[in-house]
Amino acid sequence: MRVPYISFLLLTANIVASLPNPGHSNSRKAPDTVVIDGYRLVDIQAQLNRGDLSLKASLGHLVAQADSWLNQGPWTVTSKAKAPPNGTIHDYASQAPYWWPNPNTPDGCPYIQKDGVRNPEVDNYPDKINSIKLFNSTYVLALAWYYTGNPKYSYHAAEIIRTWFLDTKTAMNPNLDHAQIIPCANTGRSIGIIDFSQDYTEVIDAVAILNTGAPGWSKADAAAFQEWNKRFLLWLAYSPFGVKESSATNNHGTFANMQITALALFTCNHSLALTKAELAKEFINNQVTSNGSQPQELARTRSFHYSNFDLTAHLRWALIARKVGVDLFKYKGPQGQTLFKAVNFLVPAATGGASDWAYPELQFTQYAATDNIHAAAQEGDLTAKEAVKNLTPPPGGDIFLLRQAPQQLDNINTT
Ligand SMILES: *[C@@H]1O[C@H](CO)[C@@H](O)[C@H](O)[C@H]1NC(C)=O
Ligand SMILES: *[C@@H]1O[C@H](CO)[C@@H](O)[C@H](O)[C@H]1NC(C)=O
Ligand SMILES: *[C@@H]1O[C@H](CO)[C@@H](O)[C@H](O)[C@H]1NC(C)=O
Ligand SMILES: *[C@@H]1O[C@H](CO)[C@@H](O)[C@H](O)[C@H]1NC(C)=O
């Protein structure tokens, strides 16, 4: 298409004109990001500073996304109308969306399940919707600051993070005791950990980027955020809910253990990071077959979504594990299973669409695979490299090259 090319040049000119100080970063050290490779961020920035046109479209998307967050947030778990049962207003809370009051009992107990039908009561706990905004906005804002040097992005990211995690009046307690509540039946469930594990590493990487000297984010903020995560890690690794979720053998277990590995690395617990990085091999052995299929996820009604979802956790886990010397990209299971095979299994549908997907899928979303294919291509997989030029961009544009780690692009609405 020709028209976007013109507007892309105009957009590029605007972005370059708005850079307060191009080249500001030459002396900056690589961020200690736990998922993204910090050296890749440094390289990309050098490339942008040289005026590399191949990245300008991605930068345009990133800056547009960041701009869209400037007048939103900060958010806090204390904004909900009431505390969860047996919790405080500072506890994160979410309610299972498909459970409804029983029409045949005076008190509505026990709740009954209507699969796929969302109960609006869930809105009494806006924490989940707000957390999705927290994850996405902090990531995009920190990256936008990193590449443009414009402090308006880092100031806003810092305010969002301080409000959610650190300010005494508004801070979240470091636990997920009250996630995915089913009223009458419980005051939270272990599976609710996925509310965080699916995207929380984005906040960790955002903070690692801000830690390289971002205006608005102080050393005291950085230290307080570390402390918060040490406590959160203890809860994730050793609380009954944390232990139960980590022992799940499906995508819940992949995400939970990936998240623990990330937090162990972030809080400098090398031995825990290493143990958990090694555990990733068991998940490859048990979840991926020799032809790259993920049978547990193929059995779902949203099999393309879930195959990509679980793989996103694996690929992030591999990026984290490499930082403690465990190479999961090269790892081969006993039947020859590899992460690249799991990615290649998705390539035909990622490039060809729904007609190339032979499994149940209620709502095929082609771009669900985009970041996973990018991630395998980046690590040298030839099939993925070949596929990259035929990928479908997600809403808001393809920004993979500016944050070289797979994000969960098709967030299915379980809020
Ligand atoms: C709250 O905790 C108490 C004591 O642990 C327990 O007896 C009670 O059932 C809990 N309430 C709810 C709503 O689960
Ligand atoms: C690191 O994690 C291990 C458990 O795997 C724990 O025993 C140890 O206390 C942790 N170390 C620190 C410094 O927190
Ligand atoms: C992949 O391997 C699994 C397990 O061996 C098998 O059930 C499935 O039919 C294979 N799928 C394809 C497309 O070959
Ligand atoms: C993050 O937010 C931006 C701006 O609203 C949006 O374009 C983008 O699709 C979101 N990304 C994800 C992964 O949800």
Side-chain angles (χ1 to χ4, degrees):
M1 280 209 302
R2 290 290 138 200
V3 177
Y5 184 61
I6 302 291
S7 51
F8 144 76
L9 284 182
L10 293 172
L11 184 61
T12 307
N14 286 338
I15 291 161
V16 172
S18 73
L19 290 181
N21 177 15
H24 65 100
S25 58
N26 288 341
S27 56
R28 245 197 251 147
K29 73 176 191 74
D32 285 325
T33 36
V34 298
V35 183
I36 301 172
D37 180 338
Y39 294 100
R40 286 185 170 140
L41 293 175
V42 173
D43 287 348
I44 292 290
Q45 184 165 57
Q47 235 173 299
L48 282 168
N49 288 344
R50 286 197 303 271
D52 187 326
L53 278 178
S54 69
L55 292 169
K56 290 287 156 83
S58 304
L59 185 63
H61 297 315
L62 176 70
V63 168
Q65 290 194 22
D67 285 342
S68 79
W69 289 115
L70 284 175
N71 60 2
Q72 298 182 62
W75 305 272
T76 161
V77 295
T78 59
S79 69
K80 53 188 170 292
K82 62 177 171 56
N86 272 6
T88 81
I89 200 78
H90 289 276
D91 290 317
Y92 174 94
S94 65
Q95 184 171 323
Y98 305 142
W99 290 80
W100 289 74
N102 195 316
N104 303 321
T105 60
D107 62 356
C109 294
Y111 268 43
I112 54 167
Q113 194 169 20
K114 299 189 196 176
D115 201 20
V117 190
R118 187 175 182 280
N119 178 355
E121 249 180 31
V122 166
D123 297 332
N124 292 335
Y125 298 122
D127 298 354
K128 172 145 189 205
I129 285 176
N130 289 340
S131 72
I132 291 169
K133 294 176 184 167
L134 162 85
F135 303 145
N136 188 345
S137 66
T138 52
Y139 203 34
V140 161
L141 287 164
L143 287 158
W145 167 72
Y146 186 78
Y147 289 122
T148 68
N150 193 326
K152 71 183 175 187
Y153 300 121
S154 60
Y155 271 103
H156 196 46
E159 192 195 0
I160 291 170
I161 295 165
R162 272 193 304 270
T163 305
W164 189 282
F165 298 99
L166 307 180
D167 291 346
T168 317
K169 279 212 176 83
T170 52
M172 172 184 161
N173 290 332
N175 73 66
L176 295 168
D177 282 324
H178 303 286
Q180 295 294 319
I181 295 166
I182 299 173
C184 312
N186 55 58
T187 61
R189 292 181 294 163
S190 60
I191 58 164
I193 288 175
I194 208 156
D195 284 6
F196 257 61
S197 62
Q198 60 181 335
D199 281 322
Y200 179 57
T201 55
E202 288 158 23
V203 182
I204 300 293
D205 273 3
V207 166
I209 290 168
L210 296 177
N211 283 349
T212 61
W217 181 250
S218 69
K219 290 215 154 60
D221 293 333
F225 187 73
Q226 269 279 325
E227 277 314 305
W228 193 95
N229 280 283
K230 282 183 183 165
R231 292 167 61 205
F232 191 40
L233 174 58
L234 282 178
W235 186 89
L236 289 169
Y238 304 112
S239 72
F241 276 6
V243 169
K244 190 168 177 207
E245 182 77 344
S246 312
S247 64
T249 54
N250 65 358
N251 60 60
H252 279 260
T254 325
F255 273 101
N257 287 292
M258 178 274 290
Q259 178 173 248
I260 290 173
T261 316
L263 291 194
L265 183 64
F266 183 69
T267 61
C268 306
N269 189 332
H270 185 81
S271 65
L272 181 58
L274 189 58
T275 308
K276 286 287 180 176
E278 288 289 345
L279 180 67
K281 294 175 180 171
E282 273 179 43
F283 277 76
I284 295 173
N285 297 351
N286 297 335
Q287 292 182 342
V288 181
T289 71
S290 57
N291 60 33
S293 67
Q294 300 169 72
Q296 291 189 95
E297 310 304 338
L298 287 184
R300 312 282 301 260
T301 55
R302 300 274 335 258
S303 62
F304 189 66
H305 165 81
Y306 278 108
S307 294
N308 278 294
F309 184 59
D310 192 45
L311 197 50
T312 293
H314 275 286
L315 293 167
R316 266 190 233 158
W317 206 352
L319 288 165
I320 301 162
R322 188 157 58 196
K323 299 186 176 68
V324 290
V326 176
D327 191 344
L328 299 168
F329 292 109
K330 297 241 164 65
Y331 175 75
K332 241 190 194 128
Q335 278 102 46
Q337 308 101 302
T338 67
L339 291 180
F340 286 169
K341 281 185 182 174
V343 172
N344 293 345
F345 192 88
L346 304 170
V347 161
T351 55
S355 56
D356 288 310
W357 188 249
Y359 306 92
E361 178 53 67
L362 292 176
Q363 200 191 324
F364 183 84
T365 309
Q366 194 165 344
Y367 65 75
T370 293
D371 270 5
N372 291 337
I373 312 290
H374 266 306
Q378 164 176 266
E379 303 305 329
D381 179 59
L382 295 177
T383 308
K385 272 185 167 169
E386 191 56 34
V388 158
K389 57 180 180 295
N390 298 318
L391 293 175
T392 307
D398 187 341
I399 58 169
F400 183 88
L401 292 176
L402 301 178
R403 51 115 180 88
Q404 308 93 326
Q407 211 172 338
Q408 200 222 317
L409 298 176
D410 62 332
N411 203 335
I412 63 173
N413 195 358
T414 54
T415 54

